[in-house]
Amino acid sequence: MSDTNGRAARRTGWAPGARKRIAAAVTGVVVTAGIAAVSLATSANAATGCQVAYTANSWPGGFTATISITNLGSPITSWTLGFTLPSGETVGEGWSAAFSQSGQAVTAASVAYNGSLATNASTSIGFNGTFPGADYPGDPATFTLNGTACNGVAPSGSATPSGTPTSAPSPTPTRTPGPSPTPTPSPGSNAATLQNDVFWKDTSGNPIYSQGGGVLKVGNTYYWYGAKYNGAVTYYNNPAAGKNGDTSFNAVTAYSSTDLVHWKFEGNVLTAADLGGAGWVGRIGVARNPNTGKYVLISQLNSELVFATSSTPNGRFTRAATQAKITNVVNDMSGDQSVFVDDDGQAYLAFSNRSGRSHLYVARLRPSDFLQVEPAANIYNSSSGGREGNIMFKHAGIYYICSSDLHGWNASHTYCNTSSKVASGYSPEFVMQGTDADFSHVTQTGLAFEVKGSSGSFVVFGGDRWSDFAGNGIGYNDWVPVTFNGTAPIFHSLSQWNVDAAAGTWSVGRGNNYVLNPSVEADRVSQSTMAGWTGTANVANHSGGHTGRWSMAQSASSAYTANTYQNISLPNGTYTLSAWVKSSGGQKSATLYARNFGGSELNRSISQSIGSWTQVSVTGITVTNGSVQVGVTSNANAGNWVYADDFSLVRTS
């Protein structure tokens, strides 16, 4: 689809129905992917009292379950949580425990860093699940911990439960994969865990609808503004339906947070009715004008800019002005844009031109009230195609303007220009390190802001997957940390990370999936070479996946061999490799494998007939040399095939 600025379609998120069940048990924190063939930890002793809170956010055909476990009995050194899912429900990728399912019976076992739970200590685990049909079958009815039923009652002779359970000790942070920038101090006890590749919910359990927006910090609170499109709601209610083109505008939403993970919905601060019924509204930013004290919202409105003001950061905003032309700009108006606020409080618009977007600009907002964009400075012209999704941030005195390819809502490399001056002297374009292998975590540049704290600073890159306007994978928003090697920005493509906003520090989450482009969605179109993966002949992406639009395929019309793999740098430790597969069967050999990790190759055969998507796992991968090669290989007869999707490589100890 195209809006009035020539925009081709983009995307957003999913997952209605938050349900919560309180029972009894205990659990571990940190994501561990994999279910089938996962080894369970042995319990050192049985808990004699426990409580479980089970929350499910569901949508037609799938759900995300979060399980909070509190130990009400004597201290334990390891644990296994047991429960039975309703008929038809299947565990997919899990985190913070080792999951296994037999029929409808599920066990979740602690891993090395979260097995010990003192009396009244708690931890949290979770998993993504599926079910047939549209209606969620329901939650588990009962839970056991180390074989003992959880009833929420402290046993006789044990410590009396406190009103607020304490948290399990934080795991030792792992190092970030890839190049080694100046180390960022690890978050402390105030760190929150940010999980990507899922649909985010606000603090009330409702979906977060916020696309093409920006973040403004006021005091110690971050305010996040963005557009809610009606197509985002459609996608949320039925993500399996695939791409939609409904970019009709509903409202500008505002959310607030102090930790960048838990976001409170502040309300719809500007609606379609406020804008005369609207049309295309997007690329939204807010800045506080130091002279008026007003918060000023700037957005595209059809072929113009619209300005709205509020006396508070959480609105409502009132329409105050429009602007039909920006001086010194090719085609007179922005194509994509974002608002940047400098250290002195002065706000700027960073943007590309309408209809083509090959010219990049910075323009000051009128200092007196921010209700007008002043004549623009042309800071760079691309000779390699249009640049959209324009964002701007500053770190250590250097300005960065970054953009995506002109691919219409799709994932892209991230291209940047830098300067020591806000509106001149910008460098030639370069690709941000870390965005090549999976096209910026399968997102488009959406927003960016610096996090400054008592112990450090870094930049948050807000990647946008839009409302399934392109089919970039699960979730609307994927945020990752950006660090710096000198002045060179480094993108850390993480599925899970811990952030301490007050300290300005972060670390890799223990549940991080180290496989890049694990769902094979980054390339957008049919390819024989997939982003992030190295492959031989007879390899391609396949239309039709376990999730999303694509999966990896190995096939040929004559006898063949094939190998598709990634060489991954990661901390030493023990890992589980999992993937969802289908197979024709009949191959001489076909395996999911891990090798070159300091031990003998480990693999799982997939040469048997597998007619429906089935998760297979390789467990006990003990990495001792800081690297591993994971992949799929086939030695096959004519017409044999293997499809693989949703890979995960997660640390278990």
Side-chain angles (χ1 to χ4, degrees), residues 1-11 211-212 229 245 247 280-284 299-305 333-337 352-357 387-390 404 406-410 444-445 464 466 469:
M1 99 100 200
S2 296
D3 62 40
T4 56
N5 288 332
R7 187 184 316 269
R10 292 173 163 97
R11 106 180 250 158
Q211 312 308 136
Y229 298 110
T247 60
W280 166 255
V281 176
R283 298 302 182 182
I284 299 153
S299 173
Q300 295 176 333
L301 174 60
N302 298 316
S303 60
E304 298 182 328
L305 297 178
M333 185 47 64
S334 66
D336 274 353
Q337 63 183 42
S352 56
N353 65 293
R354 177 171 56 192
S355 301
R357 307 188 191 183
R387 296 289 179 256
E388 61 179 354
N390 318 105
S404 74
L406 182 59
H407 281 165
W409 319 102
N410 279 303
Q444 183 190 49
T445 43
D464 215 328
W466 298 92
F469 302 150

Side-chain angles (χ1 to χ4, degrees), residues 333-419:
M333 185 47 64
S334 66
D336 274 353
Q337 63 183 42
S338 65
V339 173
F340 166 74
V341 180
D342 209 345
D343 298 335
D344 60 2
Q346 176 61 52
Y348 297 83
L349 196 69
F351 62 98
S352 56
N353 65 293
R354 177 171 56 192
S355 301
R357 307 188 191 183
S358 60
H359 301 266
L360 300 183
Y361 300 89
V362 173
R364 188 174 69 168
L365 300 187
R366 185 169 62 198
S368 61
D369 56 11
F370 291 172
L371 296 180
Q372 180 81 13
V373 179
E374 295 186 334
N378 179 203
I379 61 98
Y380 181 74
N381 296 325
S382 171
S383 60
S384 302
R387 296 289 179 256
E388 61 179 354
N390 318 105
I391 60 175
M392 186 173 184
F393 56 90
K394 184 180 182 181
H395 181 78
I398 301 297
Y399 298 91
Y400 298 80
I401 294 179
C402 299
S403 311
S404 74
D405 281 305
L406 182 59
H407 281 165
W409 319 102
N410 279 303
S412 168
H413 303 89
T414 295
Y415 303 90
C416 298
N417 308 83
T418 66
S419 178

Side-chain angles (χ1 to χ4, degrees), residues 252-263:
V252 174
T253 58
Y255 298 85
S256 65
S257 175
T258 57
D259 65 6
L260 301 177
V261 172
H262 301 96
W263 292 92

Side-chain angles (χ1 to χ4, degrees), residues 520 522-531 539-542 550-551 553:
V520 203
D523 292 293
R524 308 176 307 276
V525 295
S526 181
Q527 294 283 323
S528 58
T529 301
M530 293 158 288
V539 172
N541 57 0
H542 168 74
W550 301 96
S551 60

